[in-house]
Amino acid sequence: MDEAEISSLHVSQNIPQNSPMEVSMSAAKNNQIHLSQAVPMNSPLTWKLEGDVESNQIEVSQNAADDNSPLDCTPECPQEEYVYDYQYADAGHDASNQIEEV
């Protein structure tokens, strides 16, 4: 997609298998871009933007990827650090199972 202005691009894959995602844009201005993969298997995600990064809102995410599904972004994709707390699954509905804060 080249020279897009004031546009929205959304590409999402849910549990892709052997399905690489490659998205590139050049000379993009004032766009909202969202790319995501959930549980990719042998499905790398490649994102490349040539031009002004600051004039676009970009979100690229990938979760629970296998080792054959790398995330490759140019420029680098900002990624939030997720810390999953699985303790809730053991808590049940009993109030006596409260977890002490440390």
Side-chain angles (χ1 to χ4, degrees), residues 90-101:
D90 295 330
H93 297 290
D94 186 358
S96 65
N97 282 340
Q98 296 297 319
I99 298 169
E100 268 185 54
E101 290 186 27

Side-chain angles (χ1 to χ4, degrees), residues 4 6-7 9 15 17 21 27 34 50 62 69 73 75 85 96 100:
I6 312 174
S7 296
L9 173 67
I15 315 176
Q17 297 179 6
M21 180 192 300
H34 180 243
E50 294 178 3
Q62 185 185 57
S69 300
C73 298
D85 183 6
S96 65
E100 268 185 54

Side-chain angles (χ1 to χ4, degrees), residues 2-92:
D2 295 332
E3 299 181 14
E5 287 192 43
I6 312 174
S7 296
S8 180
L9 173 67
H10 177 89
V11 182
S12 180
Q13 289 181 317
N14 189 26
I15 315 176
Q17 297 179 6
N18 300 312
S19 184
M21 180 192 300
E22 296 181 20
V23 181
S24 64
M25 295 180 85
S26 66
K29 295 179 185 176
N30 302 314
N31 296 289
Q32 292 181 334
I33 300 141
H34 180 243
L35 310 174
S36 66
Q37 280 183 324
V39 196
M41 292 173 270
N42 199 35
S43 300
L45 191 161
T46 304
W47 159 246
K48 183 176 182 180
L49 174 67
E50 294 178 3
D52 184 11
V53 176
E54 297 299 320
S55 72
N56 298 286
Q57 294 179 350
I58 303 166
E59 181 180 343
V60 178
S61 63
Q62 185 185 57
N63 65 38
D66 68 7
D67 291 338
N68 295 315
S69 300
L71 178 62
D72 180 22
C73 298
T74 306
E76 185 176 331
C77 293
Q79 294 293 304
E80 291 184 28
E81 292 293 325
Y82 292 101
V83 177
Y84 295 100
D85 183 6
Y86 294 105
Q87 294 176 359
Y88 71 89
D90 295 330

